[in-house]
Amino acid sequence: MAVSVSLEAAARIRPRLGEAGAGDAAVIRRFDDGLVICMVDVLGHGPEAHAVSVRIKEFLERSTATDPCILMTGLHELLKGSARGAAAGICSISARDGMLRYVGHGNTRARRLWQQSTRLVSRDGLVGSAIRQHHEQSIKLAPGDIVLLYTDGVTDRFDLEDYRHAVSDTPRSLAHNVIEMFGKDHDDAACIALRIAE
């Protein structure tokens, strides 16, 4: 019999140095059996990219879909014909059994840290412009696991050895510290941190 888990998540977005708004969007949406988590990086930065990111966030927050493929298809349709496409990673996590389903296109990153380290792979492409068929991946999460989704404004070359307090930090602190420690000043940077507990 599946044992339910507790899902705690938080997000942090930091605009490029000198900019007022970011072209990154982070959405955490609860549903009856879990969470939908979306990380989107609009092409470029500045006011135009920020305006597109606001539209994306509104769309993802209004949607009632929980299937990552359906959400990604909807996002692709939303951005079709716009001047800016995006990279995106979308997860759906069930609190009932700890299953995480992931679909990604472009250069957003998704990683599990703790007892097992796993990188979820995003396919090449630009959402809203040119993407291939979705490739859904799934992993089973366990209490203690940390899942991070982040944009390419965060360096991808870090692990728990570089951030020893990760195992005890809250999701809010995790998202904040990943940006502060590994974010790039010359780009928008965003991170969503998810912690699995019993």
Side-chain angles (χ1 to χ4, degrees):
M1 181 176 175
V3 178
S4 63
V5 296
S6 173
L7 306 172
E8 304 171 22
R12 170 97 195 284
I13 298 175
R14 186 184 72 188
R16 177 184 176 183
L17 192 64
E19 300 279 358
D24 293 347
V27 173
I28 301 166
R29 177 164 53 82
R30 290 199 175 272
F31 62 95
D32 288 346
D33 185 39
L35 288 177
V36 168
I37 293 177
C38 310
M39 177 58 68
V40 185
D41 183 356
V42 175
L43 190 64
H45 49 81
E48 291 181 10
H50 177 65
V52 175
S53 76
V54 170
R55 284 181 56 216
I56 289 169
K57 185 170 183 179
E58 289 172 350
F59 165 78
L60 292 170
E61 288 178 337
R62 282 197 315 265
S63 175
T64 58
T66 60
D67 184 299
C69 290
I70 291 174
L71 281 164
M72 188 67 79
T73 298
L75 184 59
H76 182 61
E77 291 299 319
L78 177 76
L79 295 178
K80 265 186 178 178
S82 68
R84 294 176 185 264
I90 300 176
C91 291
S92 179
I93 308 104
S94 169
R96 179 174 49 81
D97 58 10
M99 287 301 300
L100 178 149
R101 300 162 60 204
Y102 175 79
V103 170
H105 292 282
N107 57 8
T108 57
R109 314 289 187 206
R111 296 171 63 183
R112 171 176 58 182
L113 304 171
W114 187 225
Q115 302 292 352
Q116 290 182 310
S117 180
T118 308
R119 287 181 181 268
L120 297 160
V121 179
S122 294
R123 288 196 161 186
D124 291 339
L126 191 66
V127 181
S129 176
I131 58 174
R132 294 185 292 168
Q133 185 176 5
H134 307 318
H135 172 64
E136 183 179 298
Q137 301 158 77
S138 61
I139 56 174
K140 188 170 179 64
L141 302 174
D145 279 349
I146 296 166
V147 176
L148 300 176
L149 272 70
Y150 49 94
T151 61
D152 67 346
V154 175
T155 182
D156 196 38
R157 297 182 179 180
F158 70 90
D159 56 34
L160 286 178
E161 289 299 310
D162 301 312
Y163 178 9
R164 295 183 180 274
H165 296 295
V167 295
S168 58
D169 274 351
T170 65
R172 179 185 284 277
S173 293
L174 278 164
H176 175 85
N177 289 335
V178 165
I179 296 296
E180 291 304 309
M181 295 170 69
F182 309 115
K184 304 171 185 176
D185 289 341
H186 63 271
D187 198 1
D188 299 329
C191 177
I192 299 174
L194 169 71
R195 180 180 290 285
I196 314 302
E198 290 183 302

